[in-house]
Amino acid sequence: MIRWTKENVDIREDHRIDIYSDRGVHHLEISDVLISDQGLYAIHAENPLGKVTAQCRIEVIENTDKVKRLKVE
């Protein structure tokens, strides 16, 4: 069994979050990343032989180069 969490809360797929497995490699993809997506993420794997967890902290940094500027006349 594979389970993904953010700040110890289970992550569910939605229009921005895709969770899938490809040839035994497990993926969590987040599109259109928001500042609120930053935090501590973990993957929890469990089978009859035991369980293991891996975690990482994600920091989201705003890209000011992509900010659109409006010209007002």
Side-chain angles (χ1 to χ4, degrees), residues 27-43:
H27 302 263
L28 170 69
E29 290 185 8
I30 303 173
S31 59
D32 300 321
V33 175
L34 305 170
I35 294 291
S36 61
D37 290 322
Q38 64 187 8
L40 182 64
Y41 286 79
I43 183 171

Side-chain angles (χ1 to χ4, degrees), residues 39-63:
L40 182 64
Y41 286 79
I43 183 171
H44 310 270
E46 184 174 350
N47 68 18
L49 298 176
K51 46 183 148 174
V52 66
T53 297
Q55 60 185 17
C56 69
R57 182 162 300 280
I58 301 297
E59 180 180 355
V60 178
I61 300 171
E62 183 179 7
N63 184 347

Side-chain angles (χ1 to χ4, degrees), residues 13-30:
E13 286 187 293
D14 64 19
H15 66 281
R16 293 188 318 111
I17 298 174
D18 192 19
I19 298 171
Y20 64 95
S21 177
D22 181 23
R23 292 177 289 202
V25 178
H26 300 279
H27 302 263
L28 170 69
E29 290 185 8
I30 303 173

